Amino acid sequence: MVEAARTTLLQALRALPRGVGPGALRGLTPQFEAAVAEDTDVDLRFRDELIRVLGPVMGEDTPVTVEDAAACVTGVDAKVLVATLPALRAVLAEVRGLKAHLTREAVRVLSRADACLHQSPRLTTREALERALDAGRERLAAELFLLHAPVPVPVEEALGVARGLFGDGPPPRGAAVLELARGLDDFCRRAPLSTPDLEALRELARRADAERETTGWPLLLERLRTVRPRLLPQKPLPPLYRSLTGAPARVPLAGSLEALLR
Protein backbone atom coordinates (compact mmCIF):
# COMPACT_ATOMS: atom_id res chain seq x y z
CA MET A 1 0.00 0.00 0.00
CA VAL A 2 2.82 2.43 0.91
CA GLU A 3 4.83 1.35 -2.10
CA ALA A 4 1.91 2.15 -4.40
CA ALA A 5 1.58 5.56 -2.72
CA ARG A 6 5.30 6.19 -3.25
CA THR A 7 5.00 5.32 -6.92
CA THR A 8 2.13 7.79 -7.29
CA LEU A 9 4.12 10.49 -5.47
CA LEU A 10 7.20 9.90 -7.60
CA GLN A 11 5.16 10.30 -10.78
CA ALA A 12 3.70 13.56 -9.44
CA LEU A 13 7.17 14.90 -8.59
CA ARG A 14 8.49 14.05 -12.04
CA ALA A 15 5.66 16.10 -13.55
CA LEU A 16 6.80 19.26 -11.72
CA PRO A 17 9.12 21.78 -13.43
CA ARG A 18 12.73 22.10 -12.29
CA GLY A 19 13.30 24.58 -9.46
CA VAL A 20 9.61 25.24 -8.86
CA GLY A 21 10.19 25.40 -5.10
CA PRO A 22 8.40 24.08 -1.97
CA GLY A 23 5.15 25.96 -2.63
CA ALA A 24 4.39 23.59 -5.49
CA LEU A 25 4.54 20.60 -3.13
CA ARG A 26 1.62 21.73 -0.98
CA GLY A 27 -0.81 20.42 -3.56
CA LEU A 28 0.78 17.00 -3.07
CA THR A 29 0.23 16.93 0.72
CA PRO A 30 -2.10 13.87 0.66
CA GLN A 31 0.37 11.97 -1.52
CA PHE A 32 3.28 12.81 0.78
CA GLU A 33 1.33 11.72 3.86
CA ALA A 34 0.36 8.45 2.17
CA ALA A 35 4.01 7.76 1.29
CA VAL A 36 5.56 8.34 4.75
CA ALA A 37 6.97 5.10 6.14
CA GLU A 38 9.27 3.92 8.92
CA ASP A 39 12.07 3.07 6.47
CA THR A 40 14.76 5.72 6.97
CA ASP A 41 16.94 4.73 4.01
CA VAL A 42 17.41 7.38 1.35
CA ASP A 43 15.55 6.43 -1.83
CA LEU A 44 17.76 7.72 -4.65
CA ARG A 45 14.77 8.23 -6.93
CA PHE A 46 13.16 10.67 -4.51
CA ARG A 47 16.48 12.30 -3.62
CA ASP A 48 17.13 13.15 -7.26
CA GLU A 49 13.61 14.47 -7.88
CA LEU A 50 13.55 16.54 -4.68
CA ILE A 51 16.92 18.09 -5.55
CA ARG A 52 15.70 18.85 -9.07
CA VAL A 53 12.43 20.45 -7.88
CA LEU A 54 13.62 22.12 -4.66
CA GLY A 55 17.41 22.42 -4.89
CA PRO A 56 17.60 25.65 -6.93
CA VAL A 57 15.42 27.37 -4.28
CA MET A 58 16.35 25.67 -1.00
CA GLY A 59 20.01 24.91 -1.58
CA GLU A 60 21.60 23.04 1.33
CA ASP A 61 18.24 22.90 3.14
CA THR A 62 16.73 20.71 0.41
CA PRO A 63 15.12 17.58 1.92
CA VAL A 64 16.28 14.35 0.33
CA THR A 65 13.81 11.85 1.85
CA VAL A 66 10.05 11.52 1.55
CA GLU A 67 9.68 11.99 5.29
CA ASP A 68 11.73 15.21 5.42
CA ALA A 69 9.90 16.57 2.38
CA ALA A 70 6.57 15.69 4.01
CA ALA A 71 7.68 17.59 7.12
CA CYS A 72 8.48 20.59 4.91
CA VAL A 73 5.02 20.40 3.34
CA THR A 74 2.95 19.78 6.49
CA GLY A 75 4.94 21.75 9.05
CA VAL A 76 5.05 18.68 11.30
CA ASP A 77 8.36 17.14 12.39
CA ALA A 78 9.39 14.12 10.33
CA LYS A 79 9.73 11.89 13.42
CA VAL A 80 6.19 12.78 14.46
CA LEU A 81 4.92 11.96 10.97
CA VAL A 82 6.67 8.58 11.01
CA ALA A 83 5.22 7.81 14.45
CA THR A 84 1.70 9.01 13.58
CA LEU A 85 0.77 8.45 9.95
CA PRO A 86 1.02 4.63 9.68
CA ALA A 87 -1.45 4.24 12.58
CA LEU A 88 -3.74 6.93 11.15
CA ARG A 89 -3.81 5.27 7.74
CA ALA A 90 -4.43 1.83 9.24
CA VAL A 91 -7.39 2.91 11.37
CA LEU A 92 -8.79 5.00 8.50
CA ALA A 93 -8.82 1.88 6.32
CA GLU A 94 -10.58 -0.04 9.12
CA VAL A 95 -13.28 2.61 9.56
CA ARG A 96 -13.90 2.82 5.83
CA GLY A 97 -14.15 -0.97 5.64
CA LEU A 98 -16.92 -1.31 8.24
CA LYS A 99 -20.19 -2.77 6.96
CA ALA A 100 -22.28 -2.99 10.14
CA HIS A 101 -21.45 -0.63 12.99
CA LEU A 102 -23.38 -2.06 15.95
CA THR A 103 -20.95 -4.90 16.69
CA ARG A 104 -18.32 -5.12 19.42
CA GLU A 105 -15.46 -5.14 16.90
CA ALA A 106 -16.87 -2.20 14.92
CA VAL A 107 -17.31 -0.17 18.11
CA ARG A 108 -13.72 -0.92 19.08
CA VAL A 109 -12.55 0.24 15.64
CA LEU A 110 -14.49 3.49 16.01
CA SER A 111 -13.08 3.93 19.52
CA ARG A 112 -9.52 3.49 18.23
CA ALA A 113 -10.24 6.06 15.54
CA ASP A 114 -11.54 8.49 18.15
CA ALA A 115 -8.39 8.00 20.23
CA CYS A 116 -6.17 8.57 17.16
CA LEU A 117 -7.91 11.87 16.47
CA HIS A 118 -7.08 13.12 19.95
CA GLN A 119 -3.44 12.06 19.69
CA SER A 120 -2.62 13.24 16.16
CA PRO A 121 -1.50 16.61 14.79
CA ARG A 122 -3.58 18.37 12.16
CA LEU A 123 -2.93 16.51 8.91
CA THR A 124 -4.98 15.80 5.80
CA THR A 125 -5.02 12.11 6.78
CA ARG A 126 -6.38 13.09 10.18
CA GLU A 127 -9.08 15.21 8.51
CA ALA A 128 -10.05 12.21 6.33
CA LEU A 129 -10.27 10.04 9.45
CA GLU A 130 -12.41 12.67 11.18
CA ARG A 131 -14.87 12.67 8.25
CA ALA A 132 -14.98 8.87 8.17
CA LEU A 133 -15.52 8.71 11.94
CA ASP A 134 -18.34 11.27 11.78
CA ALA A 135 -20.06 9.16 9.11
CA GLY A 136 -19.50 6.03 11.20
CA ARG A 137 -21.04 7.66 14.26
CA GLU A 138 -24.10 8.66 12.24
CA ARG A 139 -24.59 5.10 11.00
CA LEU A 140 -24.02 3.75 14.52
CA ALA A 141 -26.66 6.14 15.91
CA ALA A 142 -29.11 4.99 13.23
CA GLU A 143 -28.51 1.32 14.10
CA LEU A 144 -28.90 2.09 17.81
CA PHE A 145 -32.22 3.81 17.13
CA LEU A 146 -33.53 0.67 15.40
CA LEU A 147 -32.68 -1.25 18.58
CA HIS A 148 -34.13 1.31 21.00
CA ALA A 149 -37.04 2.88 19.07
CA PRO A 150 -38.76 5.17 19.84
CA VAL A 151 -35.88 6.44 21.99
CA PRO A 152 -33.29 8.22 19.83
CA VAL A 153 -29.55 8.12 20.48
CA PRO A 154 -27.81 11.41 19.62
CA VAL A 155 -24.88 11.04 17.22
CA GLU A 156 -22.45 12.57 19.72
CA GLU A 157 -23.49 9.96 22.34
CA ALA A 158 -23.66 6.93 20.04
CA LEU A 159 -20.14 5.63 20.69
CA GLY A 160 -20.52 5.85 24.47
CA VAL A 161 -23.92 4.14 24.35
CA ALA A 162 -22.55 1.32 22.19
CA ARG A 163 -19.52 0.82 24.44
CA GLY A 164 -21.82 0.57 27.46
CA LEU A 165 -24.08 -1.86 25.60
CA PHE A 166 -21.16 -4.24 24.96
CA GLY A 167 -19.73 -3.84 28.45
CA ASP A 168 -16.64 -2.00 27.21
CA GLY A 169 -17.45 1.28 28.96
CA PRO A 170 -19.48 2.83 31.78
CA PRO A 171 -23.30 2.95 31.57
CA PRO A 172 -24.36 5.94 29.47
CA ARG A 173 -26.73 8.67 30.58
CA GLY A 174 -30.27 7.29 30.46
CA ALA A 175 -29.07 3.69 30.56
CA ALA A 176 -32.24 2.40 32.26
CA VAL A 177 -34.52 4.10 29.72
CA LEU A 178 -32.47 2.55 26.92
CA GLU A 179 -32.58 -0.88 28.56
CA LEU A 180 -36.36 -0.77 28.88
CA ALA A 181 -36.77 0.47 25.32
CA ARG A 182 -34.47 -2.31 24.10
CA GLY A 183 -36.37 -5.04 25.94
CA LEU A 184 -39.96 -3.92 25.45
CA ASP A 185 -40.44 -5.77 22.17
CA ASP A 186 -39.42 -9.03 23.84
CA PHE A 187 -41.99 -8.49 26.59
CA CYS A 188 -44.63 -7.80 23.93
CA ARG A 189 -43.83 -11.09 22.20
CA ARG A 190 -44.49 -12.93 25.49
CA ALA A 191 -47.75 -11.09 26.23
CA PRO A 192 -49.96 -11.42 28.13
CA LEU A 193 -47.26 -11.43 30.78
CA SER A 194 -46.97 -13.96 33.56
CA THR A 195 -46.52 -12.65 37.09
CA PRO A 196 -42.69 -13.08 37.09
CA ASP A 197 -42.40 -11.36 33.71
CA LEU A 198 -44.65 -8.53 34.82
CA GLU A 199 -42.58 -8.02 37.98
CA ALA A 200 -39.39 -7.95 35.89
CA LEU A 201 -40.93 -5.33 33.61
CA ARG A 202 -42.06 -3.26 36.59
CA GLU A 203 -38.53 -3.31 37.97
CA LEU A 204 -37.16 -2.02 34.65
CA ALA A 205 -39.86 0.65 34.65
CA ARG A 206 -38.98 1.74 38.21
CA ARG A 207 -35.35 2.21 37.22
CA ALA A 208 -36.32 4.07 34.05
CA ASP A 209 -38.62 6.39 36.01
CA ALA A 210 -35.53 7.63 37.86
CA GLU A 211 -34.33 9.02 34.50
CA ARG A 212 -37.46 10.91 33.55
CA GLU A 213 -35.37 14.03 32.79
CA THR A 214 -33.90 12.32 29.71
CA THR A 215 -35.40 13.08 26.29
CA GLY A 216 -36.29 9.45 25.73
CA TRP A 217 -38.43 8.97 28.84
CA PRO A 218 -41.65 10.67 27.59
CA LEU A 219 -41.34 8.83 24.27
CA LEU A 220 -41.05 5.55 26.13
CA LEU A 221 -44.04 6.46 28.30
CA GLU A 222 -46.20 6.88 25.20
CA ARG A 223 -44.93 3.62 23.74
CA LEU A 224 -45.71 1.74 26.94
CA ARG A 225 -49.16 3.34 27.06
CA THR A 226 -49.78 2.00 23.54
CA VAL A 227 -48.67 -1.59 24.21
CA ARG A 228 -50.05 -1.84 27.76
CA PRO A 229 -53.30 -3.63 26.76
CA ARG A 230 -51.20 -6.41 25.21
CA LEU A 231 -48.88 -6.78 28.18
CA LEU A 232 -51.27 -6.99 31.11
CA PRO A 233 -53.49 -10.04 31.67
CA GLN A 234 -57.11 -9.23 30.92
CA LYS A 235 -59.24 -8.97 34.05
CA PRO A 236 -62.77 -10.42 33.87
CA LEU A 237 -65.37 -7.76 33.12
CA PRO A 238 -68.64 -7.43 35.05
CA PRO A 239 -71.71 -8.78 33.18
CA LEU A 240 -72.85 -5.30 32.19
CA TYR A 241 -69.51 -4.54 30.54
CA ARG A 242 -69.43 -7.94 28.85
CA SER A 243 -72.68 -7.03 27.13
CA LEU A 244 -71.11 -3.92 25.64
CA THR A 245 -69.25 -5.54 22.76
CA GLY A 246 -66.48 -3.54 21.26
CA ALA A 247 -65.97 -1.33 24.35
CA PRO A 248 -62.44 0.14 24.13
CA ALA A 249 -59.85 -0.77 26.71
CA ARG A 250 -59.31 1.98 29.23
CA VAL A 251 -55.68 3.06 29.64
CA PRO A 252 -54.99 5.08 32.79
CA LEU A 253 -53.36 8.49 32.48
CA ALA A 254 -50.41 7.41 34.60
CA GLY A 255 -47.58 9.79 35.43
CA SER A 256 -44.88 7.13 35.48
CA LEU A 257 -43.86 4.00 33.62
CA GLU A 258 -44.33 1.81 36.66
CA ALA A 259 -47.83 3.18 37.31
CA LEU A 260 -48.88 2.11 33.81
CA LEU A 261 -48.12 -1.47 34.79
CA ARG A 262 -50.41 -1.54 37.85
Side-chain angles (χ1 to χ4, degrees), residues 8-83:
T8 300
L9 176 60
L10 186 61
Q11 292 171 346
L13 288 173
R14 286 171 174 166
L16 293 176
R18 175 183 175 81
V20 72
L25 300 188
R26 293 193 182 94
L28 301 178
T29 299
Q31 291 91 326
F32 270 106
E33 291 186 14
V36 167
E38 296 178 2
D39 185 4
T40 57
D41 292 339
V42 176
D43 188 321
L44 298 181
R45 301 170 302 167
F46 284 103
R47 183 200 66 180
D48 293 345
E49 287 304 318
L50 290 168
I51 291 174
R52 181 184 69 83
V53 172
L54 303 177
V57 177
M58 299 185 68
E60 293 182 356
D61 294 327
T62 301
V64 295
T65 67
V66 170
E67 290 69 32
D68 286 338
C72 179
V73 170
T74 63
V76 178
D77 186 81
K79 291 181 180 179
V80 175
L81 293 177
V82 170

Side-chain angles (χ1 to χ4, degrees), residues 125-181:
T125 305
R126 184 190 184 281
E127 291 170 358
L129 178 59
E130 190 170 15
R131 291 191 297 272
L133 180 57
D134 286 345
R137 282 195 182 107
E138 288 179 4
R139 288 192 285 270
L140 178 61
E143 292 179 28
L144 284 167
F145 176 70
L146 292 178
L147 183 64
H148 297 95
V151 178
V153 175
V155 172
E156 62 273 14
E157 298 177 14
L159 199 49
V161 170
R163 281 196 289 253
L165 181 62
F166 291 116
D168 292 334
R173 178 175 176 271
V177 167
L178 291 170
E179 183 180 0
L180 179 54

Side-chain angles (χ1 to χ4, degrees), residues 241-253:
Y241 280 76
R242 283 202 300 266
S243 67
L244 299 175
T245 58
R250 182 175 175 270
V251 178
L253 295 175

